[in-house]
């Protein structure tokens, strides 16, 4: 099967997102689609997936012209789409989610739950996925939801699979599993379009690359002929700096310290502290308990025992409002589920934490609020239209920047960032690292939770590595490298 998209144009209002883009893909080929946040990658794929209509251009499959007015029509033509934002129903078990819209029925016309369960189970076995198909989707964390979506796409026997940032919230081990799945599909002559901001992954798994910038295709070729630096250059149009950001700095007083913090089986006997001006990383593999630990510190969840100190004074934080009042900011791990409010516009999303700060006797000082946001918008290089546009009209990476802006505006003394660069392009990643270091220079205590070892190494002064709810070890300066982090994260010791 060969798919060709020819001279595609698409605008949203006055925003010309795709100016004249053509691409082709054959079965058995993995092609990377790259570009900065807002470059138009998801839009191009939404056109192929029947979600959006193109303004001009044509799509052909094996030379025959096609028109997709709905996602169903695109699916019928053999195209499966794994969206950037997940699309599962929380209140159904996995195996029913696997057959949404193409349910298997018994002869009598009722749902054949047993067969759907069996087929899901077989798929999981084939793909080496350790999940009970009867688990409710709401009980899965975001990385497992992603894996379920990938398996669902594979079950439709599609000839072309579009994967829009499938690995953003996965850990290394799961990414490996997804790559193995992709290679198996490739061997079965399935063509894959792979969108990712992780350029090392692109080199590892893709055959070809296409790069979009400002609505045009600016580069394409074979992956074997380029480096990650080349790809980054094509994306942003200039050379992206990649050296480490190590710095020497006097640290201030202890802002946060915890003693023997424990919550059921999620985390146990946690002791650590963070000083003003310090950037402490916390990393580990899936199930390490790091997000749960900091959700508890932020008052979103309980603790069973242990003590929390802020500026050396013991505090009992029982709500997130109290945590915010104490000067803690927490950027959560999963943007769609925990960080953005889809019904609100950009400005409302960006200022929701700071409303109390900008209001006087119940009246919000909108000018002050907008000035603050305007500053953030510039430093974060946010690509957006009007402040009153819906947050969901922004590209994924730009939504993440709005969430970051929101927390920065609260002027925290302790800033907890969980997966801060999820879905953010290479250029903007550097912007965010710069901002983290600048905030540290302004004496904010910062905790960065991340599953990407290179990110931790890049921006943190030292890092705690967790394994099944305990701090397995700490790395700093000369011991801070991927090998040591991985060995602690898998339950080993520093050698
Ligand atoms: N439904 C929509 N309504 C209005 N504007 C939209 C809509 N969808 C996308 N856009 C705009 O189109 C542009 C391209 O967005 P798109 O989501 O395709 O970017 P992307 O390349 O996928 O970026 P990212 O890497 O951040 O996911 C952005 O400026 C975005 O604001
Ligand atoms: Mg996108």
């Amino acid at each position: 099967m060969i798919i060709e998209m020819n001279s595609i144009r698409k605008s949203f209002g006055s925003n010309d997102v795709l100016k004249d883009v053509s691409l082709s893909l054959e079965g058995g080929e993995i092609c990377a689609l790259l570009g900065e946040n807002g470059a138009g990658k998801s839009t191009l794929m939404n056109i192929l997936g029947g979600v959006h209509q193109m303004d001009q251009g044509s799509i052909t499959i094996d030379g025959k012209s096609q028109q997709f007015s709905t996602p169903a029509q695109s699916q019928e033509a053999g195209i499966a789409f794994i969206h950037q934002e997940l699309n599962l129903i929380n209140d159904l078990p996995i195996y029913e989610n696997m057959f949404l819209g193409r349910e298997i029925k018994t002869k009598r016309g009722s749902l054949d739950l047993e067969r759907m369960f069996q087929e899901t189970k077989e798929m999981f076995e084939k793909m080496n996925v350790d999940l009970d198909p009867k688990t409710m989707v709401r009980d899965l964390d975001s990385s497992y939801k992603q894996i379920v979506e990938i398996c669902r796409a594979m079950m439709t026997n599609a000839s072309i699979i579009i994967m829009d940032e499938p690995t953003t919230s996965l850990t290394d081990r799961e990414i490996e599993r997804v790559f193995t799945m992709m290679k198996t599909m490739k061997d079965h002559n399935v063509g894959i379009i792979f969108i990712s901001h992780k350029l090392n992954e692109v080199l590892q798994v893709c055959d070809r690359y296409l790069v979009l910038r400002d609505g045009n295709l600016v580069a394409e070729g074979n992956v074997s002929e380029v480096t990650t630096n080349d790809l980054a250059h094509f994306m942003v149009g200039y050379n992206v700096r990649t050296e480490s950001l190590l710095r020497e700095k006097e640290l201030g007083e202890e802002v946060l310290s915890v003693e023997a913090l424990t919550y059921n089986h999620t985390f146990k006997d946690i002791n650590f502290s963070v000083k003003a001006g310090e950037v402490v990383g916390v990393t580990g593999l899936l199930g390490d308990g790091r997000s749960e630990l900091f959700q508890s510190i932020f008052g979103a969840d309980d603790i069973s025992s242990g003590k929390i100190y802020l500026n050396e004074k013991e505090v009992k934080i029982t709500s997130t409002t109290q945590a915010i009042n104490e000067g803690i900011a927490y950027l959560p791990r999963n943007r769609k589920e925990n960080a953005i409010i889809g019904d609100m516009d950009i400005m409302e999303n960006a200022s929701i934490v700071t409303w109390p700060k900008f209001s006087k006797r119940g009246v919000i000082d909108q000018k002050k609020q907008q000035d603050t946001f305007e500053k953030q918008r510039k430093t974060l290089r946010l690509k957006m239209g009007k402040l009153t546009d819906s947050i969901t009209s922004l590209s994924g990476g730009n939504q993440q920047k709005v969430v970051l802006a929101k927390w920065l505006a609260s002027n925290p003394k302790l800033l907890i960032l969980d997966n801060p660069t999820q879905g953010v392009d290479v250029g903007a990643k550097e912007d965010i690292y710069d901002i983290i270091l600048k905030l540290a220079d302004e004496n904010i205590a910062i905790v960065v939770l991340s599953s990407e070892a290179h990110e931790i190494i890049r921006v943190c002064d030292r890092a705690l590595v967790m394994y099944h709810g305990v701090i397995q070890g700490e790395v700093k300066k000369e011991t801070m490298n991927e090998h040591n982090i991985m060995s602690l994260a898998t339950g080993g010791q520093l050698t």
Side-chain angles (χ1 to χ4, degrees):
M1 175 152 156
I2 300 183
I3 280 207
E4 288 182 304
M5 298 182 82
N6 308 303
S7 301
I8 307 288
R9 285 168 185 264
K10 173 77 185 170
S11 309
F12 291 105
S14 60
N15 184 359
D16 298 331
V17 176
L18 301 170
K19 291 176 186 154
D20 179 4
V21 178
S22 302
L23 77 79
S24 69
L25 179 78
E26 291 182 31
E29 185 181 41
I30 306 184
C31 181
L33 182 58
L34 306 173
E36 284 187 281
N37 295 134
K41 304 178 296 293
S42 296
T43 305
L44 186 64
M45 291 302 107
N46 278 327
I47 290 171
L48 187 55
V51 180
H52 288 325
Q53 309 305 309
M54 56 198 164
D55 299 335
Q56 274 180 48
S58 64
I59 300 175
T60 62
I61 296 183
D62 293 331
K64 251 180 55 198
S65 170
Q66 301 278 343
Q67 282 243 293
F68 304 138
S69 327
T70 63
Q73 286 175 0
S74 164
Q75 265 171 34
E76 259 161 50
I79 299 168
F81 196 161
I82 303 169
H83 288 271
Q84 185 166 12
E85 313 297 348
L86 298 173
N87 262 316
L88 296 170
I89 297 182
N90 274 330
D91 293 326
L92 289 178
I94 294 174
Y95 69 95
E96 286 193 57
N97 266 285
M98 295 291 273
F99 291 90
L100 282 182
R102 38 175 220 103
E103 290 82 1
I104 305 179
K105 301 261 171 74
T106 60
K107 281 194 192 114
R108 291 211 195 97
S110 54
L111 289 180
D112 193 343
L113 296 177
E114 182 55 36
R115 242 187 82 202
M116 296 198 283
F117 170 78
Q118 275 308 331
E119 286 195 18
T120 305
K121 198 163 156 239
E122 280 161 26
M123 185 68 182
F124 283 177
E125 272 161 19
K126 191 167 124 202
M127 288 299 159
N128 222 344
V129 172
D130 187 18
L131 268 183
D132 177 355
K134 289 198 168 136
T135 314
M136 296 299 281
V137 163
R138 95 167 72 80
D139 297 329
L140 297 175
D141 82 7
S142 53
S143 54
Y144 274 111
K145 287 184 186 169
Q146 196 92 56
I147 286 173
V148 169
E149 284 238 36
I150 293 168
C151 290
R152 177 167 74 177
M154 296 203 49
M155 282 181 90
T156 63
N157 291 321
S159 330
I160 298 283
I161 300 193
I162 304 166
M163 304 174 98
D164 196 349
E165 299 193 40
T167 58
T168 309
S169 55
L170 301 191
T171 59
D172 287 350
R173 198 179 290 182
E174 291 144 354
I175 291 171
E176 278 308 319
R177 202 177 293 155
V178 172
F179 286 177
T180 312
M181 286 183 192
M182 288 169 69
K183 284 175 190 148
T184 316
M185 292 189 283
K186 179 181 149 103
D187 292 342
H188 286 92
N189 216 27
V190 173
I192 302 175
I193 296 177
F194 181 75
I195 301 181
S196 175
H197 289 292
K198 301 183 181 174
L199 299 179
N200 49 350
E201 292 184 354
V202 167
L203 292 196
Q204 202 182 333
V205 76
C206 297
D207 305 309
R208 258 192 328 132
Y209 65 88
L210 297 167
V211 184
L212 294 182
R213 196 191 323 141
D214 296 330
N216 293 301
L217 196 66
V218 293
E220 64 181 308
N222 292 324
V223 162
S224 59
E225 292 156 15
V226 288
T227 62
T228 51
N229 280 342
D230 296 335
L231 293 176
H233 187 117
F234 293 145
M235 284 171 62
V236 297
Y238 55 86
N239 277 327
V240 178
R241 182 194 65 212
T242 46
E243 72 272 19
S244 179
L245 298 171
L246 274 187
R247 67 213 174 95
E248 290 293 330
K249 185 172 186 298
E250 288 269 317
L251 300 177
E253 311 210 311
E254 231 170 61
V255 174
L256 168 75
S257 87
V258 308
E259 242 177 57
L261 219 54
T262 299
Y263 181 43
N264 294 347
H265 300 291
T266 323
F267 50 84
K268 289 182 290 281
D269 196 23
I270 303 286
N271 298 283
F272 72 92
S273 66
V274 190
K275 291 186 170 144
E278 191 176 29
V279 186
V280 175
V282 184
T283 184
L285 299 175
L286 186 68
D288 63 357
R290 67 174 184 273
S291 292
E292 292 83 351
L293 169 64
F294 283 89
Q295 274 159 25
S296 292
I297 293 175
F298 188 58
D301 223 327
D302 290 339
I303 54 171
S304 321
S305 61
K307 290 184 170 143
I308 301 176
Y309 300 87
L310 284 175
N311 296 105
E312 299 182 18
K313 236 180 63 213
E314 191 183 349
V315 287
K316 293 216 182 319
I317 299 177
T318 51
S319 70
T320 54
T321 317
Q322 187 193 345
I324 294 168
N325 289 337
E326 297 274 6
I328 308 178
Y330 178 82
L331 178 125
R333 179 195 188 94
N334 188 327
R335 177 176 63 244
K336 188 185 179 194
E337 290 183 8
N338 305 323
I340 64 160
I341 302 175
D343 298 336
M344 287 192 180
D345 67 27
I346 297 172
M347 188 65 215
E348 287 167 328
N349 266 284
S351 52
I352 195 161
V353 190
T354 45
W355 272 338
K357 214 178 80 187
F358 292 128
S359 56
K360 235 188 200 157
R361 285 183 235 106
V363 182
I364 298 172
D365 185 343
Q366 290 193 346
K367 168 100 180 50
K368 211 160 140 199
Q369 200 177 39
Q370 283 179 8
D371 289 348
T372 308
F373 182 66
E374 193 54 31
K375 246 194 267 153
Q376 314 273 1
R377 195 174 71 83
K378 283 206 189 99
T379 27
L380 292 169
R381 283 198 257 165
L382 233 159
K383 193 169 172 188
M384 51 170 270
K386 293 192 302 296
L387 288 173
T388 48
D389 287 347
S390 154
I391 180 109
T392 48
S393 75
L394 295 183
S395 75
N398 281 304
Q399 292 183 18
Q400 179 70 6
K401 292 184 188 176
V402 172
V403 178
L404 192 60
K406 158 176 102 175
W407 285 111
L408 294 184
S410 79
N411 263 337
K413 62 182 180 200
L414 171 65
L415 177 61
I416 303 164
L417 302 168
D418 197 346
N419 211 0
T421 59
Q422 54 178 309
V424 166
D425 69 55
V426 275
K429 249 186 194 165
E430 292 306 318
D431 294 345
I432 290 181
Y433 297 152
D434 281 346
I435 288 165
I436 291 175
L437 294 177
K438 196 170 131 262
L439 294 170
D441 282 342
E442 290 166 11
N443 271 333
I444 297 178
I446 301 177
V447 179
V448 176
L449 314 190
S450 174
S451 53
E452 289 177 47
H454 62 94
E455 176 159 291
I456 294 279
I457 296 168
R458 197 71 191 279
V459 77
C460 298
D461 298 314
R462 60 190 173 94
L464 311 170
V465 186
M466 291 183 65
Y467 174 69
H468 287 304
V470 301
I471 295 178
Q472 182 75 10
E474 181 178 333
V475 289
K476 54 186 156 195
K477 290 205 170 110
E478 57 286 350
T479 57
M480 194 127 116
N481 58 49
E482 298 211 13
H483 173 83
N484 282 341
I485 290 176
M486 200 34 71
S487 105
L488 289 170
T490 48
Q493 298 297 332
L494 279 187
T495 45

